mmCIF file of all heavy atoms in Angstrom:
data_model
loop_
_atom_site.group_PDB
_atom_site.id
_atom_site.type_symbol
_atom_site.label_atom_id
_atom_site.label_comp_id
_atom_site.label_asym_id
_atom_site.label_seq_id
_atom_site.Cartn_x
_atom_site.Cartn_y
_atom_site.Cartn_z
ATOM 1 N N VAL A 25 34.568 15.796 4.416
ATOM 2 C CA VAL A 25 35.657 15.045 3.721
ATOM 3 C C VAL A 25 36.074 15.840 2.433
ATOM 4 O O VAL A 25 35.290 15.881 1.509
ATOM 5 C CB VAL A 25 35.238 13.607 3.445
ATOM 6 C CG1 VAL A 25 36.303 12.882 2.601
ATOM 7 C CG2 VAL A 25 34.938 12.833 4.683
ATOM 8 N N LYS A 27 38.938 15.379 0.572
ATOM 9 C CA LYS A 27 39.904 14.816 -0.422
ATOM 10 C C LYS A 27 39.566 15.200 -1.840
ATOM 11 O O LYS A 27 38.418 15.259 -2.196
ATOM 12 C CB LYS A 27 39.887 13.297 -0.257
ATOM 13 C CG LYS A 27 38.594 12.601 -0.620
ATOM 14 C CD LYS A 27 38.533 11.155 -0.226
ATOM 15 C CE LYS A 27 37.238 10.518 -0.681
ATOM 16 N NZ LYS A 27 36.930 9.253 0.021
ATOM 17 N N ASN A 48 42.247 11.717 3.051
ATOM 18 C CA ASN A 48 42.735 10.317 3.141
ATOM 19 C C ASN A 48 44.043 10.066 2.332
ATOM 20 O O ASN A 48 44.410 8.895 2.138
ATOM 21 C CB ASN A 48 41.663 9.332 2.745
ATOM 22 C CG ASN A 48 41.242 9.419 1.315
ATOM 23 O OD1 ASN A 48 41.595 10.405 0.666
ATOM 24 N ND2 ASN A 48 40.454 8.456 0.869
ATOM 25 N N ILE A 69 41.539 9.811 7.430
ATOM 26 C CA ILE A 69 40.502 8.745 7.264
ATOM 27 C C ILE A 69 40.869 7.652 6.212
ATOM 28 O O ILE A 69 40.138 6.719 5.990
ATOM 29 C CB ILE A 69 39.120 9.295 6.864
ATOM 30 C CG1 ILE A 69 39.167 10.046 5.559
ATOM 31 C CG2 ILE A 69 38.652 10.241 8.003
ATOM 32 C CD1 ILE A 69 37.778 10.511 5.066
ATOM 33 N N MET A 153 35.941 3.208 13.793
ATOM 34 C CA MET A 153 35.387 3.683 12.514
ATOM 35 C C MET A 153 35.012 2.479 11.658
ATOM 36 O O MET A 153 35.728 1.445 11.693
ATOM 37 C CB MET A 153 36.485 4.503 11.762
ATOM 38 C CG MET A 153 35.993 5.182 10.533
ATOM 39 S SD MET A 153 36.356 4.367 8.993
ATOM 40 C CE MET A 153 37.884 5.185 8.520
ATOM 41 N N MET A 155 33.010 1.332 7.642
ATOM 42 C CA MET A 155 32.346 1.648 6.432
ATOM 43 C C MET A 155 31.380 0.513 6.043
ATOM 44 O O MET A 155 31.873 -0.688 5.962
ATOM 45 C CB MET A 155 33.347 1.855 5.314
ATOM 46 C CG MET A 155 34.139 3.106 5.390
ATOM 47 S SD MET A 155 35.556 3.050 4.315
ATOM 48 C CE MET A 155 34.859 3.872 2.879
ATOM 49 N N MET A 197 28.509 7.945 5.585
ATOM 50 C CA MET A 197 29.046 8.785 4.606
ATOM 51 C C MET A 197 27.794 9.386 3.820
ATOM 52 O O MET A 197 26.711 9.230 4.293
ATOM 53 C CB MET A 197 29.918 8.047 3.559
ATOM 54 C CG MET A 197 30.600 6.842 4.182
ATOM 55 S SD MET A 197 32.038 6.102 3.345
ATOM 56 C CE MET A 197 31.784 6.412 1.668
ATOM 57 N N THR A 198 28.028 10.062 2.737
ATOM 58 C CA THR A 198 26.957 10.719 2.035
ATOM 59 C C THR A 198 25.726 9.784 1.766
ATOM 60 O O THR A 198 24.615 10.183 2.073
ATOM 61 C CB THR A 198 27.397 11.281 0.675
ATOM 62 O OG1 THR A 198 28.350 12.353 0.909
ATOM 63 C CG2 THR A 198 26.265 11.804 -0.171
ATOM 64 N N SER A 199 25.997 8.567 1.372
ATOM 65 C CA SER A 199 24.911 7.657 0.989
ATOM 66 C C SER A 199 24.173 6.989 2.179
ATOM 67 O O SER A 199 23.069 6.583 2.036
ATOM 68 C CB SER A 199 25.455 6.605 0.055
ATOM 69 O OG SER A 199 26.430 5.895 0.718
ATOM 70 N N ARG A 213 31.224 11.094 8.258
ATOM 71 C CA ARG A 213 32.230 11.555 7.286
ATOM 72 C C ARG A 213 31.546 11.847 5.920
ATOM 73 O O ARG A 213 31.264 10.870 5.217
ATOM 74 C CB ARG A 213 33.339 10.515 7.125
ATOM 75 C CG ARG A 213 33.869 9.975 8.472
ATOM 76 C CD ARG A 213 34.890 8.851 8.228
ATOM 77 N NE ARG A 213 34.314 7.767 7.333
ATOM 78 C CZ ARG A 213 33.614 6.783 7.730
ATOM 79 N NH1 ARG A 213 33.342 6.579 9.011
ATOM 80 N NH2 ARG A 213 33.131 5.932 6.839
ATOM 81 N N ILE A 214 31.344 13.075 5.643
ATOM 82 C CA ILE A 214 30.566 13.392 4.450
ATOM 83 C C ILE A 214 31.385 14.262 3.479
ATOM 84 O O ILE A 214 31.862 15.332 3.819
ATOM 85 C CB ILE A 214 29.203 14.083 4.816
ATOM 86 C CG1 ILE A 214 28.422 13.125 5.716
ATOM 87 C CG2 ILE A 214 28.448 14.489 3.583
ATOM 88 C CD1 ILE A 214 27.068 13.672 6.093
ATOM 89 N N GLY A 215 31.508 13.775 2.269
ATOM 90 C CA GLY A 215 32.262 14.500 1.236
ATOM 91 C C GLY A 215 31.375 14.992 0.153
ATOM 92 O O GLY A 215 31.022 16.168 0.069
ATOM 93 N N SER A 216 30.965 14.136 -0.735
ATOM 94 C CA SER A 216 30.343 14.593 -2.006
ATOM 95 C C SER A 216 29.005 15.379 -1.741
ATOM 96 O O SER A 216 28.755 16.300 -2.546
ATOM 97 C CB SER A 216 30.130 13.378 -2.960
ATOM 98 O OG SER A 216 29.677 12.261 -2.278
ATOM 99 N N ALA A 217 28.301 15.128 -0.703
ATOM 100 C CA ALA A 217 27.034 15.883 -0.512
ATOM 101 C C ALA A 217 27.365 17.340 -0.271
ATOM 102 O O ALA A 217 26.637 18.236 -0.654
ATOM 103 C CB ALA A 217 26.285 15.343 0.670
ATOM 104 N N ARG A 222 33.256 13.869 -6.634
ATOM 105 C CA ARG A 222 34.675 13.945 -6.981
ATOM 106 C C ARG A 222 34.897 13.406 -8.372
ATOM 107 O O ARG A 222 34.125 12.623 -8.926
ATOM 108 C CB ARG A 222 35.488 13.002 -5.997
ATOM 109 C CG ARG A 222 35.572 13.621 -4.597
ATOM 110 C CD ARG A 222 36.264 12.671 -3.659
ATOM 111 N NE ARG A 222 35.532 11.404 -3.488
ATOM 112 C CZ ARG A 222 34.533 11.251 -2.588
ATOM 113 N NH1 ARG A 222 34.214 12.315 -1.790
ATOM 114 N NH2 ARG A 222 33.949 10.131 -2.457
HETATM 115 C C1 LIG B 1 35.759 9.484 0.719
HETATM 116 C C2 LIG B 1 35.406 8.995 2.076
HETATM 117 C C3 LIG B 1 34.232 9.436 2.743
HETATM 118 C C4 LIG B 1 33.186 10.388 2.144
HETATM 119 O O1 LIG B 1 32.519 9.781 1.111
HETATM 120 P P1 LIG B 1 31.295 10.568 0.456
HETATM 121 O O2 LIG B 1 30.494 9.464 -0.197
HETATM 122 O O3 LIG B 1 31.838 11.554 -0.584
HETATM 123 O O4 LIG B 1 30.516 11.225 1.471
HETATM 124 C C5 LIG B 1 34.030 8.864 4.024
HETATM 125 N N1 LIG B 1 34.880 8.013 4.588
HETATM 126 C C6 LIG B 1 35.955 7.605 4.005
HETATM 127 C C7 LIG B 1 36.896 6.668 4.703
HETATM 128 C C8 LIG B 1 36.293 8.066 2.672
HETATM 129 O O5 LIG B 1 37.454 7.645 2.107
#
Side-chain angles (χ1 to χ4, degrees):
V25 176
K27 63 188 181 200
N48 67 348
I69 61 173
M153 187 263 265
M155 290 165 93
M197 332 197 330
T198 293
S199 58
R213 311 174 310 273
I214 299 183
S216 40
R222 288 176 296 273

